[in-house]
């Protein structure tokens, strides 16, 4: 019974968000049907990609901030 409630909540609240984040390129889908080890590796790989993107964005923001600071000297 609690499974049905959770599934209904997922379908009502979470599933409608998937197309929005997919369209923005912010959705990473991982197949959860493998072994625990396989799924964990896929999640780790997905998070590594997010970390790289986040680090690159932070670095670019720093470069922009430094460049702006230099131009005002």
């Amino acid at each position: 019974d609690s499974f049905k409630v959770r599934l209904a909540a997922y379908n009502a609240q979470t599933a409608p968000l998937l197309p929005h984040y997919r369209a923005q390129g912010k959705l990473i889908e991982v197949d959860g049907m493998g072994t625990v080890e396989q799924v964990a590796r896929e999640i780790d790989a997905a998070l590594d990609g997010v970390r790289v993107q986040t680090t690159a964005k932070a670095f670019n923001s720093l470069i922009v901030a430094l460049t702006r600071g230099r131009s005002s000297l």
Side-chain angles (χ1 to χ4, degrees), residues 10-73:
Y10 171 83
N11 287 328
Q13 299 169 6
T14 304
L17 298 174
L18 297 179
H20 171 76
Y21 287 108
R22 186 177 290 116
Q24 290 186 4
K26 294 181 179 181
L27 179 66
I28 300 171
E29 297 183 77
V30 174
D31 182 0
M33 294 305 294
T35 66
V36 170
E37 293 80 15
Q38 290 169 328
V39 174
R41 279 194 299 272
E42 284 193 44
I43 292 170
D44 285 341
L47 291 176
D48 285 343
V50 170
R51 288 183 195 110
V52 168
Q53 290 174 357
T54 301
T55 301
K57 286 179 185 176
F59 182 74
N60 288 337
S61 294
L62 176 62
I63 296 299
V64 168
L66 291 173
T67 302
R68 287 181 181 156
R70 179 178 288 168
S71 66
S72 65
L73 293 176

